[in-house]
Amino acid sequence: MTLLLIALGAAVGAPLRYLADRAVQARHDTTFPWGTLSVNVAGSALLGFLVALPAGDQVMALAATGFCGALTTYSTFGYETVRLLEEGARFHAVANAVTSVVAGLGAAFCGAMLAQALL
């Protein structure tokens, strides 16, 4: 049952990631990966929120592992950062790495604080 819940969450999270990434990136005429940054920060905030809730294992499998796991993408973040380096866009590569880590951690913290405030 847990595996099915993870798969269901991922079935929603992965296409949403793709659509959100493309929608955000289409609005920016730059090599900086705004779409990936956006979905990763949003997913980190949601995951921080979910982890701070007194949710059961099934909710965590569906929403945290499945949905958030498919919504966020470390592999694309890594690929895009390396691609920026290979293209000689060092500033964008460093900015992407630093911003992604700091914003992701900050978003997770804010999500957790919001959940605690609502409890």
Side-chain angles (χ1 to χ4, degrees), residues 2 6 18 22 32-34 38 40 51 53 61-62 67 82 85 95 100 106 111 115:
T2 301
I6 292 169
Y18 174 78
R22 296 295 87 211
F32 191 84
W34 290 107
S38 299
N40 285 346
V51 168
L53 293 177
L62 175 72
F67 181 77
V82 170
L85 284 172
S100 292

Side-chain angles (χ1 to χ4, degrees), residues 4 6 15-16 21 25 28 34 38 42 46 49 52 54-55 58 67 73 80 84-85 90-91 99 103 106-107 109 117:
L4 178 61
I6 292 169
L16 183 60
D21 181 351
Q25 200 60 42
H28 296 88
W34 290 107
S38 299
L46 180 57
F49 182 85
Q58 291 181 333
F67 181 77
T73 173
E80 289 172 342
L84 288 168
L85 284 172
R90 289 184 185 152
F91 175 79
T99 303
F109 177 78

Side-chain angles (χ1 to χ4, degrees), residues 44-45 48 104-114:
S44 294
L105 290 172
F109 177 78
C110 289
M113 294 297 100
L114 177 61

Side-chain angles (χ1 to χ4, degrees), residues 54-83:
D57 291 342
Q58 291 181 333
V59 170
M60 293 304 286
L62 175 72
T65 305
F67 181 77
C68 289
L71 179 66
T72 60
T73 173
Y74 189 80
S75 58
T76 302
F77 155 69
Y79 164 75
E80 289 172 342
T81 303
V82 170
R83 181 184 50 84

